[in-house]
């Protein structure tokens, strides 16, 4: 009897888990596809030699940091977006989405400006090898505008997941991945009348794929039927000091968790690279990328429950309560840190 009670307590009905998996598997697959996007450049450009591979890998360290910081912002916001959607509170949802857009754009615009105006300092943090620095600069200066488009796309990802349509981000990410692979093959090595651009071609392919990704999300948003939840330019008025501080207060655990992980991993890579250039270090760095890829896979599987089950439950809870009670967001955020630490 006690065993049955325990099982029912910790393992809900099969129908519940079926709904969770149908909701969360596209999220896990989409996150995995996003991780693959960062590996495509390095994989395709490998025939150009160790210096080219190392330079692109170094430049992608900045992309990696931006990705995790942005993920922290959108993940914290997604819990509240799900809650307000479950309550049917369109105004609160649009306010949260506006703040999500503001902070993701703020962080990514800052990183873009660093890449455009002081790329030598940014790449030089990871290595003192001049050849690698110059190669990294040629990549990141062309790819830099992608950070703005990525911020917008990441915010749309949080929105579509919160309203229960996780398949849209999955489809868009797959299309973006295919576009990037095709453009990489075309622009890096050239074909017919298209000249070979090498590292610059990889950067341009990354930028174009991010623009395509944003345009697809924008089109899906225009076709979304529940218009009252869609962001409007007038919603910019929601971005105030008081609301921004409240947003940070509620989401900072997840933001810090993801940000510190990204900064810590990049700092480790910086230590490795500062002790040697491309000679003898490319293999070590590629191994580090492989370890990061394995980590991302396991982490995404963990998020299948962490950011699939929790928003799903918060939305179901709010609907069942008619929007009359608050969810325990503090516990959810703390659980996110714990799960993230042991992913």
């Amino acid at each position: 009897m006690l065993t049955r009670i325990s099982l029912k307590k910790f393992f809900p009905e099969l129908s519940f888990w079926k709904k969770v998996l149908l909701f969360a598997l596209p999220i896990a697959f989409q996150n995995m596809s996003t991780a693959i996007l960062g590996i495509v450049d390095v994989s395709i450009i490998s025939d150009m030699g160790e210096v080219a591979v190392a330079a692109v890998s170094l430049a992608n360290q900045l992309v990696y940091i931006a990705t995790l910081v942005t993920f922290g912002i959108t993940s914290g916001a997604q819990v509240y977006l799900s809650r307000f959607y479950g309550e049917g509170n369109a105004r609160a949802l649009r306010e949260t989405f506006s703040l999500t857009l503001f902070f993701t754009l703020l962080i990514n615009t800052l990183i873009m400006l660093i890449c455009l105006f002081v790329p030598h300092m940014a790449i030089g943090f990871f290595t003192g090898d001049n050849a690698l620095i110059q190669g990294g600069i040629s990549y990141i200066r062309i790819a830099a505008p992608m950070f703005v488009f990525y911020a917008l796309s990441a915010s749309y990802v949080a929105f579509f997941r919160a309203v229960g349509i996780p398949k849209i981000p999955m489809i868009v990410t797959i299309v973006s991945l295919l576009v990037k692979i095709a453009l990489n093959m075309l622009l890096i090595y050239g074909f017919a009348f298209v000249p070979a651009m090498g590292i610059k071609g990889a950067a341009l392919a990354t930028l174009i794929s991010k623009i395509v990704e944003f345009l697809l999300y924008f089109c899906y948003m225009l076709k979304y039927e529940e218009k009252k939840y869609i962001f409007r330019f007038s919603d910019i008025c929601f971005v105030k000091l008081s609301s921004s501080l409240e947003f940070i207060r509620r989401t900072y655990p997840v933001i810090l968790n993801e940000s510190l992980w990204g900064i810590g991993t990049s700092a480790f890579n910086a230590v490795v690279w500062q002790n040697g250039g491309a000679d003898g270090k490319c293999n070590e760095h590629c191994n580090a990328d492989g370890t990061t890829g394995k980590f991302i896979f396991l982490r995404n599987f963990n998020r299948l429950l962490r950011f699939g089950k929790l928003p799903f439950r918060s939305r179901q809870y709010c609907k069942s309560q008619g929007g009359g009670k608050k969810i325990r967001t503090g516990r959810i955020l703390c659980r996110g840190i714990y799960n993230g630490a042991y992913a």
Side-chain angles (χ1 to χ4, degrees):
M1 187 69 177
L2 290 174
T3 305
R4 290 183 180 179
I5 293 174
S6 300
L7 288 174
K8 286 184 178 180
K9 181 179 179 181
F10 293 102
F11 297 96
E13 295 179 1
L14 185 62
S15 60
F16 171 80
W17 286 106
K18 184 179 179 180
K19 291 179 181 178
V20 169
L21 290 174
L22 287 175
F23 180 81
L25 281 175
I27 296 177
F29 188 79
Q30 187 256 330
N31 282 339
M32 233 172 0
S33 300
T34 301
I36 294 172
L37 280 170
I39 305 172
V40 168
D41 287 340
V42 177
S43 300
I44 296 179
I45 208 170
S46 59
D47 289 341
M48 296 190 66
E50 288 188 346
V51 173
V53 171
V56 173
S57 296
L58 283 173
N60 274 317
Q61 290 298 308
L62 298 171
V63 179
Y64 178 68
I65 294 173
T67 299
L68 283 186
V69 175
T70 303
F71 182 81
I73 296 171
T74 56
S75 297
Q78 188 183 324
V79 176
Y80 290 94
L81 291 170
S82 297
R83 169 192 167 182
F84 296 134
Y85 180 72
E87 293 176 345
N89 191 340
R91 188 180 188 280
L93 186 146
R94 295 205 321 271
E95 179 179 356
T96 303
F97 184 76
S98 300
L99 291 167
T100 305
L101 273 177
F102 172 74
F103 282 107
T104 54
L105 282 171
L106 179 66
I107 294 297
N108 282 275
T109 299
L110 177 62
I111 296 175
M112 180 188 72
L113 293 175
I114 291 173
C115 293
L116 287 174
F117 297 108
V118 284
H120 190 279
M121 183 184 300
I123 303 296
F125 172 77
F126 298 101
T127 182
D129 190 303
N130 189 57
L132 299 184
I133 291 174
Q134 293 304 316
I137 289 174
S138 66
Y139 178 94
I140 207 65
R141 270 189 170 156
I142 295 174
M146 79 168 189
F147 288 109
V148 173
F149 294 104
Y150 171 69
L152 296 169
S153 296
S155 300
Y156 284 132
V157 169
F159 174 84
F160 283 117
R161 289 178 180 177
V163 299
I165 320 177
K167 67 178 182 179
I168 289 179
M170 181 185 70
I171 293 170
V172 171
T173 303
I174 292 173
V175 172
S176 177
L177 177 62
L178 294 175
V179 168
K180 186 171 182 176
I181 292 173
L183 289 176
N184 266 327
M185 297 296 293
L186 178 65
L187 297 176
I188 291 175
Y189 298 106
F191 181 77
F193 61 89
V194 179
M197 298 176 65
I199 292 177
K200 293 181 178 179
L204 186 58
T206 299
L207 175 58
I208 294 173
S209 68
K210 288 299 178 185
I211 294 174
V212 171
E213 186 177 278
F214 163 70
L215 291 176
L216 288 173
Y217 279 124
F218 186 73
C219 291
Y220 273 117
M221 184 65 83
L222 292 178
K223 293 173 63 177
Y224 183 63
E225 294 180 355
E226 297 183 271
K227 302 297 183 184
K228 64 179 181 178
Y229 295 113
I230 296 179
F231 172 79
R232 306 158 191 172
F233 286 109
S234 59
D235 293 340
I236 296 174
C237 66
F238 290 133
V239 182
K240 300 176 183 177
L241 180 60
S242 58
S243 58
S244 298
L245 292 175
E246 180 65 15
F247 181 87
I248 293 172
R249 185 185 70 81
R250 292 182 174 184
T251 60
Y252 79 89
V254 182
I255 296 174
L256 283 179
N257 179 52
E258 302 297 337
S259 301
L260 292 176
W261 175 262
I263 294 171
T265 303
S266 296
F268 171 79
N269 289 334
V271 172
V272 173
W273 278 96
Q274 287 291 351
N275 287 288
D279 297 335
K281 294 297 179 184
C282 187
N283 290 331
E284 285 89 335
H285 195 76
C286 290
N287 288 334
D289 284 345
T291 302
T292 301
K294 293 174 184 176
F295 165 80
I296 289 172
F297 176 81
L298 294 174
R299 198 171 173 82
N300 285 333
F301 182 79
N302 178 267
R303 285 168 185 159
L304 184 147
L305 298 181
R306 176 176 153 202
F307 295 117
K309 182 174 71 175
L310 294 179
F312 174 78
R313 268 187 163 173
S314 68
R315 187 165 58 250
Q316 293 296 101
Y317 177 84
C318 290
K319 286 182 177 179
S320 66
Q321 297 295 329
K325 294 184 180 181
K326 293 182 179 180
I327 59 173
R328 297 176 180 177
T329 52
R331 180 180 296 180
I332 288 174
L333 295 178
C334 290
R335 189 183 299 173
I337 292 179
Y338 178 82
N339 288 342
Y342 291 94

